[in-house]
Amino acid sequence: MSVHWSEPLANAPRLSIIVPVLNEASTIQECLTALLPLWRCGVEIVIVDGGSEDDTVALALPLADRVLASERDRARQMNHGARESRGEHLVFLHADTRLPNRADLAIEGALKDTGGWGRFDVDIERGFALAGLVGWSMNRRSRMTGIATGDQAMFMTREAFEIVGGFPDQPLMEDIAMSRHLHRLSAPTCLAQRVTTSARRWQQNGPLRTIAKMWWLRLRYGFGASPGTLAGDYTDVR
């Protein structure tokens, strides 16, 4: 999907945080409370709801600059949030992922040097025995391949986002596809500072089963399976 932006507005924020959500009433207040220090520093917070049937929107309204409605699809939600945001730099954050302290300064420093894009290392909450190993392997794989996942809080300049045309309009693996497009511009900046993401995905279906399923989906995607086909075999508990 091609997306276009107007020129940056005067006095626009340096950074916009875009959070795609769907039925996140149980997590959205914790998510936005954690972002309050950045909000008070002038960071723009944009929530993009994909049609929640719970109280997500009502709970988010007092704690964000904007709460937008969008078609239900993470890539479309993130593109819509980027189009409606005002920041020079963009970060895409899952509702169950927490940024490190003063993440805005880390992002600004990274993008000042490269002008491109990057991501954080990730820690998974210790909700299961293999959490540390899974997090380590995600970070290691990302550094080796230059591919970032949504759990790692991908960030980029608005210019880079516009050049590649936003997230590809696909229902799964949009983060992998976006990484590949951005990699044509530059290698990612891999920040050692860590975001913390929820273990609920692994807890819901069991860590070993979840790991095996994700690797199987990635393998099929690498060999050309369509994201639409893969999405039918994937259930995200978030």
Side-chain angles (χ1 to χ4, degrees):
M1 179 173 62
S2 178
V3 288
H4 303 280
W5 292 266
S6 59
E7 291 298 317
L9 299 175
N11 301 316
R14 294 282 291 173
L15 178 67
S16 295
I17 298 175
I18 297 154
V19 186
V21 296
L22 179 66
N23 295 326
E24 289 285 1
S26 63
T27 63
I28 193 64
Q29 284 184 305
E30 181 183 348
C31 168
L32 294 177
T33 298
L35 293 175
L36 277 175
L38 294 176
W39 198 25
R40 291 165 181 156
C41 290
V43 173
E44 182 182 39
I45 310 297
V46 179
I47 305 300
V48 190
D49 183 68
S52 293
E53 298 173 347
D54 59 13
D55 294 330
T56 298
V57 170
L59 293 170
L61 281 170
L63 297 169
D65 291 283
R66 305 192 68 182
V67 179
L68 307 173
S70 168
E71 293 180 85
R72 179 180 299 190
D73 182 291
R74 183 176 286 162
R76 293 179 182 180
Q77 288 172 244
M78 291 189 292
N79 285 338
H80 184 52
R83 185 173 63 248
E84 297 296 327
S85 69
R86 302 169 65 247
E88 178 182 351
H89 300 153
L90 309 170
V91 57
F92 298 91
L93 184 70
H94 290 175
D96 61 355
T97 300
R98 305 292 172 257
L99 292 170
N101 185 46
R102 290 317 305 260
D104 56 328
L105 299 181
I107 292 169
E108 184 172 345
L111 295 180
K112 180 179 180 181
D113 293 336
T114 66
W117 68 291
R119 55 75 172 164
F120 290 89
D121 274 357
V122 63
D123 265 335
I124 300 172
E125 289 179 347
R126 296 303 190 264
F128 61 99
L130 298 177
L133 179 60
V134 173
W136 178 86
S137 65
M138 289 171 63
N139 298 329
R140 181 69 174 172
R141 181 184 68 234
S142 177
R143 289 178 187 275
M144 292 176 63
T145 63
I147 300 296
T149 68
D151 290 319
Q152 293 172 307
M154 295 174 67
F155 56 83
M156 62 205 70
T157 63
R158 183 176 292 276
E159 181 182 12
F161 193 74
E162 185 172 358
I163 287 172
V164 301
F167 283 87
D169 188 11
Q170 57 189 63
L172 196 66
M173 306 293 179
E174 77 288 337
D175 47 0
I176 294 176
M178 183 64 159
S179 295
R180 290 173 176 168
H181 292 174
L182 289 167
H183 211 280
R184 298 170 188 165
L185 306 180
S186 68
T189 298
C190 298
L191 294 180
Q193 291 168 273
R194 293 174 182 263
V195 298
T196 302
T197 194
S198 169
R200 59 178 169 167
R201 179 168 37 156
W202 290 271
Q203 291 171 320
Q204 180 79 10
N205 297 313
L208 294 178
R209 182 180 177 187
T210 301
I211 292 167
K213 187 168 188 177
M214 292 306 299
W215 274 105
W216 176 235
L217 289 171
R218 285 175 184 273
L219 182 65
R220 292 167 62 194
Y221 182 64
F223 277 95
S226 74
T229 298
L230 297 177
D233 297 331
Y234 176 73
T235 301
D236 193 341
V237 301
R238 294 175 294 193

